Amino acid sequence: MLFPPQTIDGGPRPLAGGFSADAWSRIRFLDGPVCDGCGVPFDYDPGDRCAACLAKPRAFDAARAACLYDETSRDPILKLKHADRLDLAPMFARWLSRTARVLIEEADAIAPVPLHPWRLLRRRYNQAAEIARPLARLTGLPYLPDALIRRRATATQGGRSGSGRKRNVAGAFEVPPGRGAQVAGKRVLLVDDVLTTGATAESCARALKSAGALRVDVAVVARVKEIAGLAI
Ligand SMILES: [Zn+2]
């Protein structure tokens, strides 16, 4: 062997996905109490929804994230997104099958947050679709790869404020003509890699609901806990 197995994070021993046991152990899985609306972890269990969701309900119905987006989980997530590490996607799908179990039980179909065709051309794959497809296979739910399209190429959400992110993706998604029957009257589980402010997921949820979706829930690999000061 020219190249002995090595860990991506420089740890001692490669385990699943090329990350060391230490790297996996530092991932903060969200298996405690979370807000039913947006999936934010509660330090204690104050009830169903966080103050932000009570004050302003989201366009989606409920969200769950497998882990916190932080310096540990960022690495494998960015490797799937930008470094052709497609082998990580089935593992993320397994995480979601556990974390989003209550949402999966209620869902009729699974759809990924789409990339704009130009970005898809450059990146060659959509990381959300790479996670959503094996999740559909695991759960036996119909997979709808083209339920949504991105009708304009939005600039990256990175480095934007909450309101800037909202403006950037407002009206960016639609259910394409002829695809409405896929989602009308259905409960759709939307899949993405990271939930930051939720602006993208909300924009997708609005498009699905205006095409007649009964309910839109969101399952993501990782969720940002504090938005302030985080550049993605
Ligand atoms: Zn919430």
Side-chain angles (χ1 to χ4, degrees):
M1 293 253 300
L2 277 175
F3 301 101
Q6 278 186 329
T7 52
I8 291 166
D9 57 286
R13 189 160 55 90
L15 286 177
F19 292 82
S20 67
D22 182 51
W24 289 126
S25 71
R26 279 184 281 117
I27 289 189
R28 292 192 282 170
F29 288 99
L30 299 176
D31 39 21
V34 297
C35 167
D36 186 53
C38 68
V40 72
F42 289 144
D43 295 327
Y44 61 104
D45 200 348
D48 281 351
R49 305 234 158 183
C50 72
C53 285
L54 285 175
K56 193 173 178 297
R58 305 285 196 145
F60 48 80
D61 294 274
R64 291 292 185 280
C67 66
L68 270 191
Y69 190 76
D70 58 15
E71 56 287 345
T72 310
S73 64
R74 180 162 43 208
D75 198 32
I77 288 167
L78 290 182
K79 287 206 158 75
L80 168 63
K81 195 171 192 155
H82 298 297
D84 283 342
R85 286 295 310 273
L86 293 170
D87 57 301
L88 294 167
M91 179 192 67
F92 290 147
R94 283 195 299 278
W95 291 5
L96 293 194
S97 71
R98 287 192 297 268
T99 306
R101 198 176 52 244
V102 290
L103 305 183
I104 290 163
E105 282 167 4
E106 297 293 314
D108 296 312
I110 291 182
V113 168
L115 281 184
H116 189 272
W118 295 345
R119 192 162 292 171
L120 187 61
L121 204 64
R122 201 166 55 228
R123 208 182 278 169
R124 290 176 288 114
Y125 60 92
N126 172 6
Q127 76 280 3
E130 294 303 318
I131 300 164
R133 198 183 325 103
L135 182 63
R137 215 177 298 129
L138 269 174
T139 58
L141 287 168
Y143 175 53
L144 309 177
D146 50 6
L148 280 170
I149 53 167
R150 218 179 257 252
R151 61 179 162 192
R152 51 187 181 80
T154 51
T156 169
Q157 292 281 67
R160 283 170 199 270
S161 67
S163 57
R165 282 170 175 261
K166 206 165 266 180
R167 276 196 306 278
N168 190 36
V169 293
F173 300 92
E174 70 174 349
V175 174
R179 298 283 177 205
Q182 281 189 327
V183 299
K186 301 278 172 60
R187 296 165 299 181
V188 179
L189 182 66
L190 187 68
V191 171
D192 205 356
D193 54 351
V194 178
L195 187 115
T196 307
T197 64
T200 297
E202 287 201 89
S203 187
C204 290
R206 279 190 201 98
L208 288 165
K209 287 194 172 176
S210 66
L214 275 186
R215 180 183 170 101
V216 179
D217 295 321
V218 179
V220 295
V221 176
R223 185 197 199 292
V224 172
K225 189 174 183 187
E226 311 289 348
I227 298 158
L230 190 103
I232 293 175

